[in-house]
Amino acid sequence: MLNKFSVYLLGSLSLFFLGVSSFLVGSFFLVWDYVIFMDWEILSMNGCSITMTFLFDWISLVFVGCVFVISSMVIYYSESYMGSDVDRVRFYFLVFLFVMSMMMMIVSPNLMSILIGWDGLGLVSYCLVIYFQNYKSYSAGMLTILTNRVGDVAILLSIAWMLNFGSWHYIFYMGMWDYWEFYLISLIVLAGFTSSAQIPFSSWLPAAMAAPTPVSSLVHSSTLVTAGVYLLIRFSEMLSNFNCSFILALSMMTMFMAGLGANLEFDLSSIIALSTLSQLGLMMSILFLGYPILSFLHLLTHACFKALLFLCAGVMIKGMNDSQDIRYMGAMTSYLPFTCTCFCISNMSLCGLPFMSGFYSKDLILEAMTGSGYNFFVFLIFFVSIGLTVSYTFRVIYYVMFYNVNMHVCHGYGEDSIMMKSMIVLALLAISGGSMLSWLIFSVPELFVLPLHLKLMPLVFIFLGGWLGYEFSSVNLGEFPLSLRFYFISFFSGSMWFMPYFSTFMLYGKSFYLSKMYYEVMDGGWGEYVVSSSPLLFTSSLSKLMNYYQFNNVKIYMMVFVLIFIFSLI
């Protein structure tokens, strides 16, 4: 019988080889412009056929390869991180189900089969968010699954809407436009917004950090939150006929809001979660500007460095005895040198440092946005958001590595070989993944001819963002930090513009009062008096009737059968 370590190692190696194979096959499909479309008919009724469909083209195969490689490293890392957990084998199988649900969603061009993977992602993510089984986890799990149910309902409605047109394959409707596609694309955008946590559904993403860190690494890099972006990339040809100004504004607001909130947050996991939210806003924005392949490129490069960032944060949090406050960190380079190196690599890639992985997608995105002809508001929000990304990155590096030694006693820092091996692979991807993917996807170099001041604009905002991050983090003895001097603005910005309040008790508070009133009037009032304590004995009569039915149900069934037979003869 396999021991628990063998289960982790076997699963990790299997996923790694499957991922590399998928990536290589996807590369050949891209070069040869080759597609495999497999369709199994399950049920056909009244001209409507329910089919199980797989679409293997270069987009689905390359994405599946990236998801499998990242998942294999996360599962291998989990052997050490979850080593002292009693239920770690259950955790392993839940993560495996999570990855398989994502694969099912990626390779399906049919809304019916997409729903299987989509629902699997939602349900398994709930099981993983409540894994630690405390009140905070339960609350976060309910917020996560109920928000994602909105997206499930949108997909179900779009399935019902497409029933009018003979097929659920979205690829059949790509080259056309009719009035009905407005309703379909609106429902698909709603589903994508809930899964990718865009405004006004952003509050569940930081709450989902209640899950174990390896799960957060998967959720925030390549699985749950990227499902919405991937779905909209697949429907992008329909979006080209659609006025995207409003949803573009929502995506840009998400990008700006998350970048601003991360600069005022002190929880390490929440900072990285808001960083993911900001990058998702960037992917959505460039997608709605009309560049789906650029959005897909940033989706892949972001998955590489964001998974590494979470794994490094997991080592730091574990060494701090599960404390996540960056104010209690500092001078970690002395204790965790390899982890801090990988942490810097992933953060520099997130900033878009030249020739790191994130640079190849971010620089192209900014140049494409600059040449897209949109107004000054779009231009400003994009560049300010890039500056805020650099700002919170430098702030967290300053607090974790160069700040004063503020640690508590009895911290057990340590790097083991399992964690380091998994981080080495992701660090290589965070350095070289962007160049490899951009050379693969673009057969010729993408060239945007811009004036010198527009070419230098990203560099200017990067330096401004680095300076702002230093100002946010540096504080002298006896002084208040910048965020406390403007407390009301920082509280509003740091609490995600009060969206968590709107999504929780401001939404259900009134219904609780209503249910309390109903309980006092009915269950504890007239209903109790009339039904349970009534002289007419409704309850006892009802129970006798139910007992008669339960103990004589075969007789009743036969009697009904005979009566129906007689009436049919008559």
Side-chain angles (χ1 to χ4, degrees):
M1 185 177 175
L2 292 172
N3 60 20
K4 293 178 179 179
F5 179 69
S6 300
V7 170
Y8 276 87
L9 186 60
L10 186 64
S12 175
L13 284 174
S14 305
L15 279 176
F16 183 76
F17 286 120
L18 275 173
V20 172
S21 306
S22 298
F23 187 84
L24 290 175
V25 173
S27 306
F28 284 123
F29 277 30
L30 174 60
V31 173
W32 296 334
D33 196 15
Y34 192 70
V35 176
I36 293 178
F37 187 89
M38 293 193 291
D39 207 0
W40 287 277
E41 186 174 319
I42 299 169
L43 178 67
S44 182
M45 185 172 58
N46 294 335
C48 179
S49 60
I50 296 174
T51 57
M52 186 72 213
T53 314
F54 292 132
L55 174 67
F56 296 104
D57 62 347
W58 73 268
I59 292 182
S60 60
L61 284 168
V62 167
F63 194 25
V64 165
C66 286
V67 169
F68 277 2
V69 169
I70 291 168
S71 306
S72 68
M73 292 300 107
V74 169
I75 287 172
Y76 188 59
Y77 172 93
S78 302
E79 163 55 27
S80 175
Y81 191 86
M82 306 294 290
S84 58
D85 195 87
V86 179
D87 300 317
R88 60 183 182 272
V89 175
R90 183 186 69 183
F91 171 80
Y92 162 74
F93 282 111
L94 281 172
V95 170
F96 191 74
L97 273 174
F98 198 52
V99 175
M100 290 301 110
S101 300
M102 187 66 191
M103 186 207 72
M104 187 73 198
M105 189 255 159
I106 291 170
V107 299
S108 298
N110 185 324
L111 274 181
M112 293 283 278
S113 47
I114 279 175
L115 188 67
I116 299 171
W118 194 275
D119 265 343
L121 283 172
L123 295 173
V124 180
S125 68
Y126 174 71
C127 296
L128 287 167
V129 169
I130 66 166
Y131 182 80
F132 286 135
Q133 297 182 17
N134 52 48
Y135 284 114
K136 183 184 176 185
S137 298
Y138 293 149
S139 304
M142 287 307 295
L143 180 58
T144 300
I145 196 168
L146 290 177
T147 309
N148 280 289
R149 288 304 92 183
V150 178
D152 292 343
V153 170
I155 288 188
L156 284 168
L157 287 173
S158 59
I159 286 172
W161 186 256
M162 288 177 82
L163 193 63
N164 299 314
F165 307 106
S167 176
W168 286 294
H169 294 308
Y170 59 75
I171 55 173
F172 292 164
Y173 308 116
M174 286 298 153
M176 56 180 288
W177 179 253
D178 202 355
Y179 72 94
W180 59 269
E181 285 197 19
F182 170 78
Y183 305 104
L184 174 63
I185 205 68
S186 301
L187 290 168
I188 296 298
V189 166
L190 176 61
F193 266 46
T194 54
S195 178
S196 295
Q198 303 296 295
I199 286 177
F201 306 107
S202 302
S203 54
W204 73 264
L205 192 63
M209 298 302 298
T213 303
V215 175
S216 302
S217 174
L218 269 182
V219 166
H220 289 254
S221 64
S222 56
T223 50
L224 182 61
V225 295
T226 57
V229 181
Y230 180 79
L231 186 70
L232 287 173
I233 287 171
R234 284 300 200 182
F235 278 85
S236 57
E237 287 192 34
M238 283 190 187
L239 283 169
S240 61
N241 301 307
F242 188 67
N243 185 8
C244 300
S245 302
F246 177 65
I247 46 182
L248 171 65
L250 288 179
S251 298
M252 289 193 307
M253 281 169 60
T254 307
M255 179 169 60
F256 178 71
M257 176 269 298
L260 197 58
N263 278 290
L264 299 162
E265 183 63 62
F266 288 102
D267 187 297
L268 181 60
S269 293
S270 295
I271 291 171
I272 304 175
L274 289 168
S275 153
T276 303
L277 190 56
S278 175
Q279 299 305 306
L280 288 169
L282 179 64
M283 293 174 214
M284 286 286 194
S285 302
I286 198 65
L287 175 63
F288 293 134
L289 282 174
Y291 299 95
I293 301 300
L294 272 184
S295 178
F296 183 64
L297 175 64
H298 191 57
L299 182 66
L300 297 177
T301 56
H302 171 261
C304 299
F305 59 75
K306 188 50 64 75
L308 178 63
L309 194 57
F310 267 104
L311 297 191
C312 296
V315 177
M316 294 172 182
I317 290 166
K318 191 175 183 182
M320 293 279 294
N321 287 339
D322 299 329
S323 170
Q324 301 183 10
D325 198 322
I326 57 174
R327 289 170 292 190
Y328 294 123
M329 299 178 185
M332 277 205 179
T333 45
S334 306
Y335 305 98
L336 304 169
F338 180 79
T339 304
C340 288
T341 304
C342 292
F343 190 70
C344 281
I345 287 171
S346 54
N347 272 314
M348 292 302 107
S349 188
L350 171 65
C351 288
L353 191 76
F355 313 116
M356 301 291 281
S357 185
F359 165 76
Y360 289 91
S361 54
K362 274 199 167 184
D363 193 59
L364 269 177
I365 284 173
L366 284 175
E367 290 181 347
M369 180 274 305
T370 308
S372 64
Y374 265 78
N375 55 23
F376 180 71
F377 176 73
V378 176
F379 189 88
L380 182 68
I381 292 293
F382 260 86
F383 278 107
V384 169
S385 301
I386 294 297
L388 289 172
T389 302
V390 183
S391 172
Y392 64 70
T393 303
F394 273 81
R395 175 175 173 265
V396 80
I397 288 176
Y398 179 80
Y399 267 105
V400 168
M401 296 184 195
F402 304 113
Y403 200 50
N404 300 324
V405 183
N406 288 336
M407 295 170 288
H408 297 305
V409 293
C410 302
H411 281 175
Y413 291 110
E415 298 173 330
D416 58 11
S417 60
I418 293 176
M419 290 182 173
M420 290 168 73
K421 284 173 190 170
S422 59
M423 286 194 282
I424 284 172
V425 176
L426 290 176
L428 291 173
L429 287 175
I431 294 169
S432 60
S435 56
M436 184 172 60
L437 285 165
S438 64
W439 295 336
L440 179 69
I441 291 173
F442 302 117
S443 56
V444 293
E446 292 289 317
L447 180 64
F448 290 93
V449 180
L450 297 171
L452 180 64
H453 63 280
L454 288 181
K455 274 285 189 184
L456 292 178
M457 194 69 75
L459 205 59
V460 170
F461 274 89
I462 281 173
F463 283 119
L464 280 174
W467 170 77
L468 185 66
Y470 177 76
E471 287 294 327
F472 268 123
S473 53
S474 67
V475 55
N476 294 321
L477 194 64
E479 283 187 8
F480 286 114
L482 195 62
S483 56
L484 286 179
R485 291 181 217 164
F486 305 99
Y487 180 72
F488 293 107
I489 298 172
S490 62
F491 179 70
F492 172 71
S493 303
S495 59
M496 296 177 67
W497 299 354
F498 301 145
M499 259 185 291
Y501 304 109
F502 283 111
S503 302
T504 51
F505 64 83
M506 291 183 79
L507 193 64
Y508 58 69
K510 300 297 182 186
S511 60
F512 272 179
Y513 288 121
L514 188 65
S515 61
K516 179 173 179 285
M517 185 179 68
Y518 282 161
Y519 173 77
E520 289 173 350
V521 171
M522 294 301 300
D523 287 3
W526 283 104
E528 179 77 19
Y529 176 74
V530 171
V531 177
S532 300
S533 310
S534 169
L536 298 176
L537 299 175
F538 284 150
T539 312
S540 59
S541 306
L542 190 63
S543 63
K544 285 177 184 175
L545 185 62
M546 288 304 295
N547 279 335
Y548 180 77
Y549 172 72
Q550 286 173 357
F551 291 122
N552 297 280
N553 49 10
V554 178
K555 296 179 196 173
I556 293 170
Y557 175 75
M558 293 302 294
M559 187 173 68
V560 170
F561 180 76
V562 169
L563 287 172
I564 290 173
F565 183 70
I566 291 169
F567 280 121
S568 64
L569 286 175
I570 292 171

